[in-house]
Amino acid sequence: MGLLSEGSPLSWEETKKLSPHVRKHGIEQFINLYHRLKDRKGDVLKWGDEIEYILVKFDEQKKKAQVSLRAQEILNILNQKEQNDPEGVKSLWRPEYGAYMIEGTPGKPYGGSLAHFNVVEANMRYRRQEVSALLHPDESVISFTNFPRLGCDKFTYPEYDTTPDDESSAARSLYFPDEAIYPGHPRFKTLTRNIRMRRGEKVAIKLQVFKDKNTKIPVDGSPLGEPSTVLLDAMGFGMGCCCLQLTFQACCIEEARTLYDQLTPLCPIMLAFTAASPAYRGYLTESDCRWNVISASVDCRTSGERGETALKGGERRIYKSRYDSIDSYLSSEGEKYNDVSLIYDETLYNRLREGNIDHLLAQHIAHLFIRDSVSLFSEKVNQNDEEDTDHFENIQSTNWQTMRFKPPPINSSIGWRVEFRPCELQLTDFENAAIVCFVVLLTRVILSYKLNFLIPISKVDENMQKAQKRDACRAEKFWFRKNVDNSSNVKSEQNTFEYAKQSETEEEYEEMTIDEIINGKPKTFPGLVPLIHSYLQSMDVDADTHCTIQQYLRLIQKRASGELLTTATWIRKEILNHSDYKGDSVVTELINYDLLKKAKDIQEGRIVVPELLGFGNNSKTKDDIPSAIEKYLSVNGCCN
Ligand code: ADP
Ligand code: MG
Ligand code: MG
């Protein structure tokens, strides 16, 4: 979540009363910031990954795995290291929602050189080892999207009872004790309480159980009339999941808007591709991904706003949770694909327009600003709108969407950035590095060849839902643009495909499998990896870097073709084939223990699972970039 501002949180009543104030000043702050920074140009490509990890404690006697609530202790040590040597550290560590979670990023963002791909995986490995060195012998740091028994009895260490009837509890959950929420900063419990209070009841996350031959229906705790639903009742079930995110710096605001738009249709594709979380609260479910879970876990809308009851005074219908896929494109090319009705505050929109913000950006910001503040600190209430941006950030940073458009921080060397947020976590650094490099390369290809992936937002939304279904990566088809290279910019000897001829009335998009999207369709669609290959042909790539990239792309291609499994499919198989599994969809303590043990062994390279990695995790990466190699990826950035 980035560095957090300290202070004392206001009560929900106070926060609610001040929401219009936060919105009004947040908009002024954005207008000022925009005019100060809109002409900023010539920033180079920089980018970085964020990986969230869970801390797990293994009980070897009882064959039990629990999440270890020691993140704060570990973070204190890591952050001390950073304070002592802010320039020198190779990693940065930040708190996350769970008291068992930590988030790690590279010490400095990577730059435009292709050779940086040689150190991504090594840096991920370094981070894992750095944390491992601070753990007890029975603890491990694991890159796992969702702890399968999160919310089951005694899933934490130390163990705590839940206190659903205690009015001072933040979550009041039947399953997720407040002690599992990160205690080192008030933000997390405050958000939990305020989201619940704004909604007027606890959040309700509903997943369909995976029905096996002995599955007990009704599922324990299922809501009335929905017997096959696994019900989760706390923010922690979503925000307590881990993910992989990427941030890119663009050369200027226009390039950032283009990247934001062009990466949007890839969000559901990459969600399905990285799917890694089929089990929740000890049950196998019909879902392979965390997305809908986390979306519902912070859904602060009232029943009226959700369309379930009549609207009350001052309310309006709101179609999505504040954690969801984006609702509008930002570039002029994207405008005609903005086909979902966008809710925004007219007054704020008009103020932005008066402040000389163009229509597309104004409606984007005004749409984010339909939300109330759900966390406000007393020290931050009164601000100087010329210099501060906290009120803007307050609303911006609690709109958790598939993409985030990030303006430069005031008085910094950082430029306009976009964040790519859909991906789930893979078990190995090799896989995570492959995904990171693949997406970074895609951005270069998009910008260099001026590719166009745009499809209507409504189709992206449909894809988001398909992406989360069981085995979607192999089984589903996704809306995708047929001709991504309008002006035939891709020049390569191997470039023999011809896009299907398109008549005026025909749709620009069709349904494709992930295999077709990534590997291509004979004669009609080039495929994302072949496009990257032809881009790389035009670059002068040294042998080491070439070798690194090829290994990653091979993994991507094989998973897309179905030859290799997604992490979610692998987890399912492990559960279903376990000797303790009784055909009842239940992930028992023993199954959970063995699964996490195996995950740990895979991550640490002690066992290799060919159906996940193919040729095995034999990648070769360097700790330092050969300084002689400085070929810039951003050759065709619009400011160069
Ligand atoms: P968040 O908004 O998710 O908290 P941060 O602002 O903390 O994200 O940024 C985190 C990510 O951005 C890291 O991966 C980091 O390496 C990367 N990053 C930092 N500086 C830059 C930059 N100038 N350009 C692009 N990415 C950057
Ligand atoms: Mg995070
Ligand atoms: Mg982030």
Side-chain angles (χ1 to χ4, degrees):
M1 291 209 187
L3 267 177
L4 305 168
S5 40
E6 293 285 344
S8 23
L10 297 176
S11 72
W12 167 239
E13 289 309 321
E14 291 165 308
T15 306
K16 185 176 164 182
K17 223 179 302 158
L18 285 164
S19 252
H21 168 88
V22 172
R23 276 194 291 268
K24 177 168 181 273
H25 292 278
I27 291 291
E28 294 306 318
Q29 292 174 4
F30 179 77
I31 294 171
N32 292 331
L33 170 162
Y34 174 84
H35 288 292
R36 200 157 344 141
L37 295 162
K38 67 181 190 313
D39 297 322
R40 187 184 164 113
K41 283 204 170 41
D43 287 309
V44 296
L45 167 68
K46 280 190 186 169
W47 57 275
D49 66 86
E50 291 169 68
I51 293 187
E52 295 162 354
Y53 301 85
I54 58 174
L55 303 178
V56 175
K57 180 185 187 299
F58 292 101
D59 183 331
E60 303 296 342
Q61 252 87 57
K62 296 192 182 129
K63 299 252 184 260
K64 189 163 88 171
Q66 294 168 306
V67 292
S68 167
L69 306 182
R70 291 214 307 131
Q72 190 182 2
E73 256 176 272
I74 307 291
L75 268 166
N76 286 343
I77 305 173
L78 294 164
N79 289 343
Q80 193 58 52
K81 219 162 133 180
E82 179 185 339
Q83 254 173 27
N84 296 344
D85 184 15
E87 291 303 307
V89 285
K90 287 205 259 178
S91 61
L92 298 175
W93 294 97
R94 298 291 175 260
E96 254 304 333
Y97 184 87
Y100 54 88
M101 289 166 78
I102 47 172
E103 176 184 292
T105 64
K108 286 196 182 59
Y110 301 109
S113 164
L114 278 169
H116 281 123
F117 291 146
N118 293 319
V119 293
V120 172
E121 189 181 336
N123 187 274
M124 289 177 181
R125 193 168 307 133
Y126 171 82
R127 278 181 248 167
R128 205 188 276 281
Q129 285 162 357
E130 187 181 24
V131 175
S132 294
L134 303 175
L135 298 178
H136 297 152
D138 59 352
E139 288 174 325
S140 292
V141 55
I142 304 190
S143 51
F144 211 81
T145 298
N146 185 38
F147 183 78
R149 285 181 61 85
L150 202 78
C152 292
D153 192 34
K154 312 270 188 303
F155 74 98
T156 64
Y157 186 86
E159 295 174 359
Y160 289 100
D161 291 325
T162 54
T163 52
D165 299 323
D166 176 359
E167 282 187 27
S168 68
S169 160
R172 302 195 62 174
S173 169
L174 294 169
Y175 311 110
F176 195 97
D178 280 6
E179 286 85 355
I181 305 173
Y182 186 78
H185 193 281
R187 170 183 167 95
F188 301 107
K189 274 186 199 138
T190 305
L191 282 171
T192 310
R193 178 196 65 197
N194 289 353
I195 284 171
R196 179 171 57 75
M197 294 194 72
R198 189 186 186 289
R199 181 178 165 98
E201 60 190 354
K202 284 195 288 185
V203 294
I205 306 154
K206 297 178 178 182
L207 289 156
Q208 286 307 298
V209 74
F210 167 75
K211 279 193 193 148
D212 208 341
K213 53 185 189 301
N214 301 324
T215 305
K216 197 185 117 216
I217 307 285
V219 173
D220 251 3
S222 64
L224 214 59
E226 299 172 59
S228 47
T229 296
V230 179
L231 181 69
L232 314 174
D233 69 347
M235 179 168 169
F237 282 107
M239 284 298 192
C241 289
C242 297
C243 69
L244 168 68
Q245 297 172 336
L246 278 166
T247 299
F248 304 96
Q249 176 170 283
C251 64
C252 58
I253 186 170
E254 280 73 33
E255 188 179 277
R257 293 170 76 150
T258 298
L259 270 179
Y260 179 91
D261 286 5
Q262 293 298 335
L263 289 174
T264 291
L266 296 168
C267 288
I269 309 304
M270 290 311 292
L271 180 61
F273 187 82
T274 58
S277 49
Y280 296 85
R281 195 161 67 71
Y283 289 100
L284 262 183
T285 70
E286 278 296 325
S287 173
D288 267 0
C289 302
R290 77 195 188 292
W291 191 269
N292 283 350
V293 174
I294 197 164
S295 171
S297 84
V298 289
D299 190 353
C300 65
R301 293 172 302 164
T302 62
S303 56
E305 289 169 339
R306 298 197 303 275
E308 289 167 15
T309 57
L311 290 171
K312 295 208 191 77
E315 285 182 355
R316 74 190 128 199
R317 182 81 172 81
I318 298 177
Y319 295 96
K320 286 182 184 171
S321 161
R322 58 200 301 155
Y323 197 117
D324 218 315
S325 49
I326 70 153
D327 290 302
S328 69
Y329 290 117
L330 288 179
S331 69
S332 50
E333 297 75 31
E335 184 159 15
K336 68 173 169 166
Y337 300 102
N338 284 339
D339 68 334
V340 304
S341 72
L342 205 66
I343 314 294
Y344 56 76
D345 186 312
E346 289 289 332
T347 320
L348 298 181
Y349 172 80
N350 291 337
R351 174 65 197 116
L352 286 156
R353 297 289 283 134
E354 267 168 39
N356 275 321
I357 312 280
D358 60 274
H359 164 67
L360 287 171
L361 191 52
Q363 72 170 10
H364 166 71
I365 300 292
H367 177 57
L368 299 183
F369 272 67
I370 60 175
R371 309 291 171 176
D372 279 344
S373 171
V374 273
S375 155
L376 186 59
F377 291 85
S378 55
E379 298 79 343
K380 298 285 181 183
V381 174
N382 293 311
Q383 303 210 328
N384 175 353
D385 292 342
E386 296 289 332
E387 279 164 22
D388 296 326
T389 56
D390 279 78
H391 288 324
F392 169 68
E393 286 296 338
N394 185 311
I395 303 296
Q396 155 100 336
S397 71
T398 52
N399 271 274
W400 297 278
Q401 297 182 312
T402 36
M403 297 293 307
R404 189 177 280 162
F405 182 68
K406 294 179 176 177
I410 303 271
N411 300 326
S412 86
S413 58
I414 300 174
W416 291 91
R417 290 151 303 151
V418 295
E419 187 180 15
F420 186 72
R421 304 164 47 84
C423 295
E424 307 226 316
L425 271 178
Q426 314 302 299
L427 294 175
T428 61
D429 298 319
F430 176 70
E431 293 161 279
N432 286 318
I435 287 157
V436 164
C437 293
F438 173 62
V439 178
V440 177
L441 280 167
L442 269 180
T443 65
R444 299 307 97 189
V445 175
I446 289 167
L447 295 174
S448 297
Y449 293 144
K450 300 190 171 37
L451 299 184
N452 182 3
F453 290 124
L454 301 179
I455 56 172
I457 289 282
S458 62
K459 294 290 169 209
V460 180
D461 281 352
E462 265 184 56
N463 283 351
M464 281 300 289
Q465 292 312 312
K466 294 180 185 195
Q468 304 177 54
K469 292 191 185 163
R470 175 158 57 86
D471 207 22
C473 186
R474 277 200 275 205
E476 287 295 322
K477 286 189 160 198
F478 296 86
W479 296 113
F480 209 78
R481 195 177 171 91
K482 289 192 260 187
N483 181 351
V484 297
D485 184 19
N486 289 335
S487 18
S488 303
N489 288 317
V490 184
K491 301 269 178 337
S492 137
E493 290 138 45
Q494 284 152 27
N495 180 12
T496 52
F497 61 87
E498 261 175 52
Y499 292 103
K501 292 274 174 293
Q502 202 168 315
S503 71
E504 292 272 312
T505 53
E506 206 187 327
E507 298 294 5
E508 291 171 324
Y509 48 86
E510 64 181 357
E511 288 189 304
M512 296 188 202
T513 61
I514 298 247
D515 185 25
E516 290 167 341
I517 293 169
I518 288 185
N519 292 319
K521 256 198 310 190
K523 295 230 169 5
T524 58
F525 187 76
L528 302 179
V529 169
L531 281 167
I532 291 176
H533 278 140
S534 59
Y535 167 76
L536 289 170
Q537 272 174 19
S538 66
M539 306 287 296
D540 192 0
V541 188
D542 71 286
D544 267 350
T545 309
H546 179 80
C547 170
T548 305
I549 295 174
Q550 292 311 319
Q551 289 181 71
Y552 293 155
L553 293 181
R554 268 200 300 273
L555 176 84
I556 301 286
Q557 291 200 281
K558 286 185 180 175
R559 184 183 292 175
S561 74
E563 185 182 331
L564 300 178
L565 305 181
T566 61
T567 309
T569 301
W570 179 79
I571 292 174
R572 270 180 202 285
K573 274 186 70 176
E574 287 296 306
I575 295 171
L576 294 173
N577 295 334
H578 195 284
S579 58
D580 201 41
Y581 180 68
K582 300 178 191 69
D584 57 359
S585 324
V586 173
V587 186
T588 62
E589 288 278 19
L590 181 62
I591 299 176
N592 189 53
Y593 168 90
D594 281 334
L595 176 64
L596 286 155
K597 263 275 146 104
K598 200 156 182 183
K600 171 181 156 71
D601 284 340
I602 293 172
Q603 298 183 3
E604 291 167 10
R606 270 190 302 280
I607 49 178
V608 174
V609 179
E611 46 182 14
L612 275 177
L613 300 170
F615 44 89
N617 188 356
N618 56 358
S619 69
K620 176 174 71 74
T621 58
K622 297 235 163 357
D623 286 325
D624 283 302
I625 306 156
S627 55
I629 310 156
E630 282 297 312
K631 290 284 175 269
Y632 283 89
L633 277 165
S634 49
V635 277
N636 290 322
C638 61
C639 294
N640 304 77

